[in-house]
Amino acid sequence: ADFINELGFTLGEQGLDLYQAYMTQDGELWIKIINNMYREERIVRDRIQRVLAAITPSNIRKVTVMIEADGVLSQGYHFRTEDLYHYREGSITGYELSALAPMSNSQYRPSGAETLFKRKKEVWLFTFRPRLQTFFGSSKGKIKYNVSLIAAPEGYLFDNIYYSAQVGYSIRSSMQHLGHVDKINPSHLPNVRTDTIKYYQSNTFSLELAYLQKSWHLGRGFFYRLAAGYFEPAYGGGATELLYYSAHANWAIGIEEATLWKRRYKGLGFTDKIRIDRGHIVHHQHFLGIQYFLNFYYTLTPWNLDCKITAGQFLAKDLGARFEINRWFQSGLQVSLWYTITNGHDRVNRRTYFDKGFAFNLPHDFFFRQSSRTYIGYAMSAWLRDIGAIADNGKSLYNTIRLERLKLK
């Protein structure tokens, strides 16, 4: 009990939270940790092995450490106590210890193990922040903006079901009188995205998202999740995802599907109608959003590049593929470019248009003196169109696990 108390306190001082500890009869200690502070995997690993090398008692033969993120075990490490002692004494280096105890696929606690420590995850975490949204290209002024305050509670129900909600309050906006139909280049696809501005012109208060998500580690690098609820201001429904992402590989492959209903511009209700333009005349047709994709991910470690190919059916029922490149920098800055090719045959200024754009994520610790895993994100398409549209459907398994395994050169 004294050792577990010391372990929990010492890890907590390092920004790592101990949530479970079990001991087997043959002397194996199994612990589960959540990283709340560090961006890179090497820093997390270094702090864990230094703590274990300093305080692990000799009657423990082996220490198995599992890292959890967003309710799913992402990866693990298996340290022999004798190797930790050699590391503490300087007989081996951290590089040699990482070779003796490499990152491995997650595993659940051994059956029949004795519970030494267990605590539940937070039921309630609250974030309050400002938000700036921008719209470019209006005929009534080239830049329009919306300044809002965001309140976002999140946490876990029954210790393993993640929930997230977000309420927005608009405090100042210059887009209340903007039109929501492009009269020069009207979209002839179902208006799954070109009516976005309507969701920010309707109410001062709005429930932008509220969903539940449950994730599982199935073993041998396989992960699965289910999600349901309001995923964004425009859509809600249900989603599922299956991912293979081994701890020993720099690639991953997954499939996902989401069935989505269009939200009304006001209130919490849904509608089965969607707007569509036919010869500059607005009509409405029956709509049930179904998007499904095969995703392939590949990491070019020497250049800190993440490549992603998404192929399948997009929200407006156009078929095609989206190509995305993400570049990580040592500071934590992430810059992304994407290009989408589908059979939607959208035309802008008499030319076939394919969705493209850029995004960046700026880490909070760029401004602070301590580590942080929180980002400020911004994304912009070249044109707000319906082609190649993808609706949010919860927290992506790959993004969750990738952030836990991030290695920057």
Side-chain angles (χ1 to χ4, degrees):
D2 291 339
F3 164 64
I4 292 300
N5 287 335
E6 183 179 3
L7 178 63
F9 175 79
T10 309
L11 288 171
E13 289 289 299
Q14 300 297 315
L16 305 169
D17 291 340
L18 177 67
Y19 274 84
Q20 293 181 14
Y22 299 88
M23 176 70 79
T24 65
Q25 293 183 351
D26 63 350
E28 177 185 353
L29 176 67
W30 187 98
I31 61 176
K32 182 173 76 174
I33 292 173
I34 294 180
N35 167 32
N36 294 313
M37 183 172 291
Y38 306 107
R39 184 168 50 250
E40 293 189 60
E41 181 269 345
R42 63 176 179 83
I43 298 177
V44 176
R45 178 197 172 91
D46 180 70
R47 291 178 180 264
I48 290 173
Q49 63 193 25
R50 286 180 182 274
V51 169
L52 294 177
I55 67 174
T56 301
S58 58
N59 62 336
I60 291 178
R61 176 182 59 86
K62 176 183 177 183
V63 181
T64 295
V65 180
M66 291 293 126
I67 307 296
E68 181 180 294
D70 294 334
V72 62
L73 296 176
S74 60
Q75 74 249 18
Y77 309 92
H78 303 280
F79 298 101
R80 295 187 307 174
T81 303
E82 59 183 290
D83 295 332
L84 291 170
Y85 286 178
H86 290 154
Y87 174 66
R88 181 180 65 189
E89 295 164 0
S91 301
I92 61 174
T93 64
Y95 179 80
E96 291 171 310
L97 183 58
S98 65
L100 293 169
M103 185 170 63
S104 63
N105 291 323
S106 304
Q107 67 179 45
Y108 288 103
R109 68 178 185 270
S111 58
E114 178 186 358
T115 303
L116 301 181
F117 174 80
K118 185 176 182 180
R119 67 165 171 159
K120 294 184 178 297
K121 293 188 281 293
E122 296 287 345
V123 176
W124 180 269
L125 296 172
F126 189 81
T127 302
F128 184 77
R129 60 182 174 85
R131 180 183 65 189
L132 172 64
Q133 294 170 295
T134 55
F135 295 82
F136 295 89
S138 167
S139 60
K140 299 180 180 180
K142 294 304 180 183
I143 300 178
K144 298 297 181 180
Y145 66 89
N146 181 40
V147 179
S148 306
L149 296 177
I150 300 298
E154 62 179 342
Y156 292 87
L157 303 176
F158 310 107
D159 202 43
N160 56 17
I161 300 176
Y162 172 79
Y163 76 87
S164 179
Q166 181 170 296
V167 176
Y169 175 75
S170 178
I171 57 176
R172 188 166 182 83
S173 176
S174 65
M175 60 186 198
Q176 293 299 328
H177 302 293
L178 287 181
H180 51 89
V181 176
D182 189 335
K183 297 180 180 180
I184 299 175
N185 293 291
S187 172
H188 298 295
L189 293 168
N191 293 172
V192 295
R193 277 290 177 242
T194 48
D195 64 345
T196 296
I197 195 172
K198 292 285 287 182
Y199 289 95
Y200 299 101
Q201 291 179 321
S202 55
N203 294 326
T204 302
F205 279 101
S206 61
L207 179 64
E208 298 183 349
L209 62 88
Y211 67 88
L212 301 174
Q213 178 167 306
K214 177 73 172 72
S215 302
W216 294 267
H217 173 246
L218 305 179
R220 299 175 181 255
F222 285 93
F223 302 87
Y224 181 70
R225 75 174 174 97
L226 289 171
Y230 297 103
F231 293 127
E232 57 170 89
Y235 295 97
T240 184
E241 180 184 6
L242 176 65
L243 176 73
Y244 173 75
Y245 189 10
S246 174
H248 312 295
N250 62 346
W251 60 273
I253 189 169
I255 56 174
E256 62 174 292
E257 189 274 342
T259 300
L260 303 157
W261 289 269
K262 183 78 168 169
R263 294 181 61 180
R264 297 183 182 276
Y265 299 132
K266 297 182 180 180
L268 302 178
F270 294 94
T271 177
D272 61 353
K273 302 294 183 182
I274 196 165
R275 193 181 70 186
I276 187 168
D277 298 317
R278 298 295 189 194
H280 296 277
I281 299 176
V282 175
H283 296 273
H284 290 83
Q285 67 180 28
H286 178 77
F287 177 79
L288 175 64
I290 298 177
Q291 61 183 34
Y292 52 83
F293 303 107
L294 173 66
N295 300 314
F296 179 74
Y297 311 86
Y298 191 83
T299 300
L300 295 168
T301 304
W303 297 282
N304 295 331
L305 282 177
D306 286 345
C307 304
K308 178 183 178 182
I309 300 176
T310 298
Q313 176 175 285
F314 293 86
L315 195 56
K317 295 182 170 56
D318 48 327
L319 301 175
R322 170 178 165 130
F323 304 89
E324 185 175 344
I325 296 178
N326 301 315
R327 173 70 160 88
W328 293 89
F329 294 88
Q330 193 64 47
S331 63
L333 175 67
Q334 181 190 19
V335 178
S336 305
L337 299 172
W338 76 83
Y339 193 89
T340 307
I341 300 175
T342 80
N343 64 353
H345 305 297
D346 191 22
R347 296 185 67 81
V348 175
N349 296 331
R350 299 180 182 179
R351 295 183 179 181
T352 301
Y353 175 77
F354 298 108
D355 183 53
K356 52 187 174 290
F358 74 92
F360 67 83
N361 285 312
L362 185 65
H364 275 187
D365 59 13
F366 190 83
F367 306 99
F368 304 138
R369 298 180 62 185
Q370 65 180 23
S371 296
S372 173
R373 287 162 54 88
T374 307
Y375 287 84
I376 302 172
Y378 186 85
M380 180 184 292
S381 293
W383 209 282
L384 180 61
R385 307 295 288 183
D386 301 304
I387 192 168
I390 301 176
D392 292 338
N393 55 72
K395 285 197 171 186
S396 161
L397 285 173
Y398 178 81
N399 290 340
T400 294
I401 299 168
R402 175 70 178 118
L403 288 177
E404 295 301 318
R405 301 178 182 178
L406 183 62
K407 299 179 181 180
L408 300 178
K409 297 293 186 180

